[in-house]
Every structure is written in C-alpha cells, then in structure tokens.
Amino acid sequence: MKTRGYGWAVLWIAIGWLNTAHAGMVVEMRDPRFFERQQAVIFPKAEVKLVTFEFEAVGDDQRGKERAKELHKQFLAKIHDLHGGAIITFVTPPGQKIENYRVQAERVAKEQHAQMVLWGRIMVDRAGTPLINARLMLVEPPPGISADYKKLAELEANRVPLDVRGVIDAPVTQWRIDFNTVENDIAPLTLYLSGLARYYKGAVRGGGEAARWLNGSVADFKAYIAALPEGADRGAASQAHLYLARAYVRLADAEPARVTDHLNAARRYAELAAQLNPYDAAVPTAQAVIAARRGAPLAELRSKLEQAVNMAPADGNARVNLAVLDGAQGKVGEALRQLDNASFVQKAQKKAALPAVDNLRRQLAPYADRAAPSSPVSPTR
C-alpha cells in the first residue's frame, strides 16, 4: 500500500498486522529531510523484517522506483504464509530521486529493527534494457550452525584424551552480498530473499515448526539456484549453497528420523559452496561442523578447522574452534596457543573478548603441566 502521510501508515499498521500473517508497506517520501527526523518503527512486532529502497537511476528514468515496487510486491507474495514476516520499501515521488535523501541504509534498517536491508541501482544498456545491481546487508545475521564436541575415539598414539568440552561454532560471517548485474528480472532476487527470511525464522525454532520454515527455505534457495544461468553470480550462488547446508544441518535436529539424509545433503551443498567460492573461510568452518555431526574421521575435521584458520587468520572464532579440538585430543600446548592467538586478534581488532576462550582455559587449567612451553603469539598457526 502506498502512503502519502505517516498518519495513514500508522492506521494501516494497526489494522493490517492483526489480520494478516505477513505485512508490507511502501512509504512515499516527499520531504528530502525525511530521514533527518525520528521515524516511528513500522511493524514493530515483525520477527523477520526486510527494508528496501528504490533503486538509484540515471536522469529522469523511473524504472528504479518501478523495480523496487515490483520487488516489494513479489517478496510480499512469496512470504504470504510467513507469520511475522514484513517488508518496508521507501520510494520518492515522480521527479525526485532517492540519492537526494542522503539515505544511510544500515542506519534506517537498524532504526526499523530490521534484520535485512537491500538497495542498489538501475543502469540501461544500449538496447534500452534495464540492468539491476543490488546489494544486501544483514543488519542482524541469522544463527549459524554448531556441533557439541568432547572427544573422539581416534587419538594419536602418544596423546591422552582430556575431559574437555566445547562447541565448534560456524556463525554467519558474510554480512553483505553484492549480486551480479541482472537484466530486468528481479524474480531470482525475490527467491533469495524469501529463502533467507524463512531461514531466519526456522533457525530459532525447533521440531515441526522449525522443519516447516527450513524446508521452505530449502525450496526457495534451490529455486534461486535453478533460476541462475550456469556459472552466473558465483558469489551469491555460493552463499545460497551455504545457506542450504546450514538449513539441512538444522533439519537434522528438527527431523531426527532423517538425520543421515539431512547431514549428507548438508555435506553436499557445503562442497558445492566451496567449489563456487574457495576463498570463503565460512565454508570450511561449516564443513567442520557437518563433519563433527557426521562422526567423520578426525583427519577430516582437523583439516577443515586448520583450513579455516589459514584462510581467516584474524578470525578469533576459527582459532577457538581449533583449540576445542586440540584440547579434547590432549594437545594442551597447542590449544593454549590457539586461545592466546584468539585473544590477540580480538584485541588487535578492538573486538570484545570471546567467552569461549575463558571457558576453555578453565577446562584446560588442570592439565597445564602437560603443555609445552608457549611460543610467542603470532597471527598464524
């Protein structure tokens, strides 16, 4: 629904939210100072909210507004059954341009308590075909996947297992996705956004309710991949495969009768993500979680964790993951060095300390006499 004044918008919210599973609003802004004022939160009860803006366009071309409204309409249709799903789209009236409003997309999304925000631009080729560039930011990334880990039976001959518990954690670390240029059609982008919205909802639930939303996410991401020309947009396609892997890991919890099938599917899609983008450290971390849940050989698990550390030496979480494995395998010195390095990189980047570091240190303290002398802290293993 288009609104010409905020009073009408608030009235529509109060009525629409009570009668629909999902909600959407197109807000037409007429004052260039619109975002300088404090804005009311639209759909404050939404669980998963997407904020979008009209696409920037050259000159007087109106297709940036048209495509944004079409995206809004298609996304709303896709999430018709997603209770708590919402979309807000900001557009300008004819004769005005979104770039004149000095929009800070991330700030607006945070003020609206949205999890996702999308913006972009429209260009036109020599034949007059609109070319769409879109950028998606996850203001609040959804939960990733993890695996509880204590110890494996497979040990090196000279190692003694320790009573060390921990979690191998694979959070969502890719917060921004730049989609490759597409010609005119925003349908594939809508599928991606719908798949992500359903993953957001399914990832914080359990049992049959989680399975419902996660299976919907799987269907949307698969449809997105099928809609892409072969070899097109490898970066976004890799992320879609990675979300499929995450969804299947979570489906293994939600549908225990199919745990083997789901974990095999998760492994397959994680491998495809790695093939499409071999430089994303989030992929081997997810593969390590999947390996741990499948009871894979220790060598496979360690290989993935070491790969993640080597690909992202400044990722403290990756080092904690490896420390969990080292500690549980009796490699106290190696585990403590990884924890030192995790603390070092967090401090160097002015990030908060990782609670898992202190937790694992406490568990390793009784075995400290088995640790080899510590070497100087370095950003690499």
Side-chain angles (χ1 to χ4, degrees), residues 101-342:
Y101 281 70
R102 299 179 180 178
V103 178
Q104 295 180 357
E106 183 178 3
R107 178 180 65 80
V108 173
K110 286 181 177 179
E111 290 177 351
Q112 288 296 327
H113 302 167
Q115 288 72 35
M116 301 178 283
V117 58
L118 182 130
W119 68 98
R121 63 178 55 190
I122 292 280
M123 298 173 288
V124 181
D125 65 13
R126 293 182 178 179
T129 303
L131 306 175
I132 304 171
N133 286 111
R135 170 173 289 180
L136 174 68
M137 174 181 285
L138 307 184
V139 181
E140 295 179 8
I145 54 176
S146 61
D148 292 329
Y149 186 78
K150 182 178 178 183
K151 60 188 177 186
L152 297 177
E154 182 182 348
L155 294 170
E156 295 180 15
N158 62 338
R159 298 290 179 182
V160 178
L162 309 183
D163 186 17
V164 172
R165 298 175 183 271
V167 173
I168 298 174
D169 190 26
V172 174
T173 56
Q174 188 75 21
W175 295 3
R176 179 174 292 183
I177 299 174
D178 292 312
F179 294 91
N180 281 0
T181 302
V182 295
E183 292 187 2
N184 203 31
D185 186 13
I186 51 92
L189 182 57
T190 305
L191 288 166
Y192 191 104
L193 295 169
S194 176
L196 192 49
R198 292 173 189 279
Y199 178 84
Y200 266 98
K201 183 152 183 170
V204 296
R205 282 168 168 75
E209 191 178 3
R212 174 186 177 183
W213 306 120
L214 292 170
N215 278 309
S217 177
V218 164
D220 282 341
F221 277 120
K222 285 183 177 179
Y224 167 78
I225 292 167
L228 289 180
E230 186 174 356
D233 210 346
R234 295 171 66 90
S238 174
Q239 287 300 306
H241 282 91
L242 187 53
Y243 275 109
L244 280 165
R246 293 174 179 134
Y248 275 116
V249 169
R250 291 187 167 276
L251 278 169
D253 293 332
E255 299 178 330
R258 301 183 59 195
V259 61
T260 300
D261 289 342
H262 288 325
L263 291 178
N264 285 338
R267 182 185 187 188
R268 183 169 65 255
Y269 280 106
E271 288 174 350
L272 290 170
Q275 292 171 18
L276 288 165
N277 184 2
Y279 307 106
D280 183 359
V283 176
T285 305
Q287 288 177 310
V289 168
I290 296 166
R293 285 181 171 242
R294 291 177 56 250
L298 174 62
E300 179 181 340
L301 179 56
R302 180 171 295 280
S303 172
K304 296 303 180 184
L305 291 176
E306 290 180 342
Q307 184 182 357
V309 169
N310 291 332
M311 292 173 67
D315 183 351
N317 185 74
R319 294 182 177 280
V320 173
N321 285 338
L322 192 53
V324 169
L325 182 61
D326 284 337
Q329 296 302 314
K331 300 181 180 181
V332 181
E334 289 90 334
L336 290 173
R337 279 191 288 275
Q338 287 297 348
L339 293 178
D340 287 342
N341 283 351

